[in-house]
């Protein structure tokens, strides 16, 4: 029996059938499985502006394989457009609303299976969280990456524009050059061209097996994207007939495979938040501490933008894509190749067709960028529950740093000070009360980090926050410090001039202040008061958990 039979079969369902006929549904279509096509099309997100065409291809595939598609929509936030103003408070919180809205749409309309069409940042993990929660046959087909732009003879992307703002402030670039770069950096539709959060999550969705091989890296404008969309529509019908469900795919092995690929790629730090949240919804127990043991075993094979001189997603696709990276990792013996995928085959079966066609983009195992992975989890007296750094975006040899703290209680305060160049080389800029609860919403600090990079200071300044960083950030930047300041974490006790030590080799970030002093400071710490007292963000701040557990809702 199909789930949709509850909607369309039996005498008492005559009113329901009448409503379906009002949609133009024929008797033949009513006899087939009902497939939800969950689209996040939007005219305000460059990564989503073309998703109507992708959805049409998906629906064609569903019809060809014997299903009746129904397209519905979810919300989405463009992190680039939301950056550095109050809108960024809503970005991470939108993930929970997306997950809830997909659940509501699917359950209320009794879809038998679903095809999810995301492309950017929080939309991807939100949809995957919903898929794991609902646990009916599902497949993801994302919209694909934007092509890199070209400016003054080199490939560029959005991160270059953010960094150029700092370069203009420092007198290293003219405003005319910035205007020219601005016009060239984002040449069309798709998720921004580097290994930022959107593309990291699209790549990891393929690594987890929830999308078809090639889906993570095929450019948005390539006809292959539409072929993949049709195949996804056809494939979901096979998943329905075989009763393969998200929790059959999103196993502990699949989550570890995703983190392994993440380490090899040097992906966005936000992937830690999102994979932890997906694991939570899938019922997979995964702790932050496991990531360092994975990182120690996984070589960093791909140097991707925003790393200086990094490749873009189109380069990775031509070199063999995520399947090529996984082929290398499987040869190393660090993948669970028995995991089932939405292709209806195991990882091992998928990888039989995989190869690497450019060793300069996906390096051989005997010539990695580093022997350990691109992300590290740092613990210590400043972050007892953990924090995260994108080691892949650091200069070579940058593993130990010690400097005095410059403390700011908001992103705005810190950004203004940075743009005034009110800091000294060797400082450790602390931005606090920007965590999930304190922000609220755990804003990204791309404007601050990009300004430092544009000034040529990203190797001379460290930045630590209980907020987040965009996947486009680079330099010695540590985010997700837990517990956050609003929860009374040690980051709330830091004062200007306190010495901070960052030791990447030993996975630590410490405040060099004795426990007695910290205890006295804690006793004098004023009670935290919410910045937002009404609307969704007030509810979000009330229910959200620590970044160390994925910033999911406490139930």
């Amino acid at each position: 029996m199909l789930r949709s039979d509850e909607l369309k079969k039996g005498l008492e369902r005559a009113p329901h059938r009448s409503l379906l006929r009002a949609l133009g549904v024929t008797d033949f279509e009513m006899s087939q499985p009902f497939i939800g096509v969950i689209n996040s099309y939007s005219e305000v997100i460059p990564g989503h502006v073309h998703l109507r065409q992708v959805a049409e291809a998906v629906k064609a595939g569903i019809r060809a394989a014997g299903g009746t598609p129904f397209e519905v929509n979810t919300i989405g936030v463009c992190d680039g457009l939301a950056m550095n103003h109050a809108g960024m408070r809503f970005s991470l919180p939108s993930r929970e609303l997306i997950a809830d809205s997909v659940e509501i749409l699917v359950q209320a309309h009794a879809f038998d299976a679903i095809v999810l069409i995301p492309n950017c940042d929080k939309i991807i993990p939100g949809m995957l969280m919903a898929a794991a929660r609902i646990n009916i046959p599902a497949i993801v087909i994302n919209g694909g990456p934007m092509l890199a732009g070209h400016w003054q003879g080199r490939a560029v992307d959005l991160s270059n524009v953010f960094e150029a703002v700092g370069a203009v402030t420092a007198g290293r670039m003219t405003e005319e050059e910035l205007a020219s770069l601005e016009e060239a950096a984002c040449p069309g539709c798709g998720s921004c061209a580097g290994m930022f959060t959107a593309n990291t999550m699209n790549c990891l969705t393929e690594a987890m097996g929830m999308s078809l091989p090639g889906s993570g890296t095929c450019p948005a404008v390539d006809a292959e994207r539409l072929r993949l969309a049709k195949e996804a529509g056809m494939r979901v019908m096979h998943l329905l007939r075989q009763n393969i469900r998200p929790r059959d795919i999103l196993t502990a092995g699949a989550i570890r495979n995703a983190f392994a690929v993440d380490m090899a790629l040097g992906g966005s730090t936000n992937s830690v938040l999102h994979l932890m949240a997906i694991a939570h919804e899938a019922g997979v127990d995964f702790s932050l501490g496991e990531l360092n043991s994975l990182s120690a075993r996984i070589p960093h094979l791909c140097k991707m933008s925003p790393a200086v001189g990094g490749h873009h997603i189109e380069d990775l696709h031509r070199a063999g894509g995520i399947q090529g990276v996984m082929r290398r990792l499987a040869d190393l013996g660090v993948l669970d190749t028995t995991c089932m995928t939405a292709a209806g085959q195991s990882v091992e079966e998928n990888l039989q067709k995989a190869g690497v066609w450019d060793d300069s983009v996906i390096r051989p195992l005997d010539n990695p960028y580093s022997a350990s992975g691109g992300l590290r989890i740092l613990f210590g007296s400043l972050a007892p529950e953990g924090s995260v750094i994108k080691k892949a975006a650091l200069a070579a040899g940058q593993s130990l740093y010690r400097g005095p703290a410059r403390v700011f209680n908001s992103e705005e305060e810190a950004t203004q000070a940075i743009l005034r160049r009110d800091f000294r080389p060797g400082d450790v800029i602390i931005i606090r009360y920007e965590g999930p609860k304190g922000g609220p919403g755990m804003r990204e600090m791309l404007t601050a980090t990009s300004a430092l990079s544009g000034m040529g200071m990203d190797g001379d300044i460290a930045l630590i926050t209980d907020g987040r960083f965009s996947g486009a950030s680079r330099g010695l930047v540590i985010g997700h410090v837990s517990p956050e300041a609003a929860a009374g974490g040690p980051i709330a006790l830091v004062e200007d001039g306190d010495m901070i030590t960052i030791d990447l080799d030993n996975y630590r970030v410490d405040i060099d202040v004795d426990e007695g002093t910290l205890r006295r400071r804690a006793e004098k710490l004023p009670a935290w008061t919410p910045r937002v007292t009404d609307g969704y963000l007030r509810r979000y701040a009330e229910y959200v958990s620590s970044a160390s557990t994925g910033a999911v809702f406490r139930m």
Side-chain angles (χ1 to χ4, degrees), residues 84 89 382 405-418 428-436 438-439 442-450 452 461-469 477-486 491-492 494 496 500 531:
N84 197 30
R89 298 190 194 282
L382 189 61
R406 287 289 315 283
V407 181
F408 301 94
N409 288 330
S410 72
E411 178 193 8
E412 288 84 357
E413 291 178 22
T415 299
Q416 290 165 12
I418 289 169
V428 179
I429 294 173
I430 304 285
I431 308 178
R432 63 191 181 191
Y433 294 101
E434 290 288 1
M442 206 178 181
R443 289 189 290 178
E444 293 182 344
M445 308 291 160
L446 180 57
T447 300
T449 60
S450 296
L452 290 170
I461 293 283
L463 197 156
I464 299 175
T465 182
D466 53 6
R468 298 183 295 129
F469 294 113
V477 294
I478 298 170
H480 308 191
V481 170
S482 302
E484 62 176 295
I491 192 171
V494 183
D496 283 342
I500 307 295
R531 282 178 172 152

Side-chain angles (χ1 to χ4, degrees), residues 1-2 4-14 16-17 30-31:
M1 177 177 173
L2 296 170
S4 60
D5 287 347
E6 298 177 3
L7 196 75
K8 62 191 181 185
K9 283 195 173 181
L11 180 66
E12 67 278 16
R13 297 297 184 260
H16 304 65
R17 291 191 295 273
M30 218 175 294
S31 70

Side-chain angles (χ1 to χ4, degrees), residues 35-39 51-65 67-71 114-117 139-142 225-237:
I35 311 300
V37 179
I38 319 296
N39 194 356
L51 293 187
R52 278 179 171 169
Q53 188 179 16
V54 174
E56 289 302 320
V58 166
K59 289 186 286 186
I62 292 169
R63 293 188 184 102
T68 299
F70 293 89
E71 184 181 348
I114 50 176
V115 181
L116 304 168
I117 311 178
I139 192 169
V140 176
I141 174 65
N142 61 285
R225 175 63 51 190
L226 297 181
R227 295 196 297 271
L228 282 167
K230 288 180 184 177
E231 289 176 15
M234 291 185 281
R235 173 49 52 190
V236 78
M237 298 304 299

Side-chain angles (χ1 to χ4, degrees), residues 254-329:
I255 298 296
R256 289 188 179 88
N257 285 351
F259 273 123
V261 172
D262 201 6
M263 297 295 177
L265 294 173
S268 166
T269 54
N270 286 315
S271 62
V272 177
L273 273 179
H274 299 324
L275 287 177
M276 295 286 286
I278 293 164
H280 172 78
E281 292 287 358
V284 174
D285 187 19
F286 198 96
S287 67
L288 270 181
E290 292 184 56
L291 294 185
N292 285 334
S293 60
L294 263 178
S295 180
R297 299 165 55 210
I298 310 295
H300 178 207
L301 301 179
C302 303
K303 186 177 183 181
M304 308 296 297
S305 174
V308 176
H311 297 102
H312 290 92
I313 307 301
E314 63 202 77
D315 304 314
L316 179 60
H317 188 65
R318 286 193 294 265
I322 296 307
Q323 298 300 300
V325 174
M326 294 181 75
R327 176 71 274 163
R328 291 253 149 105
L329 296 180

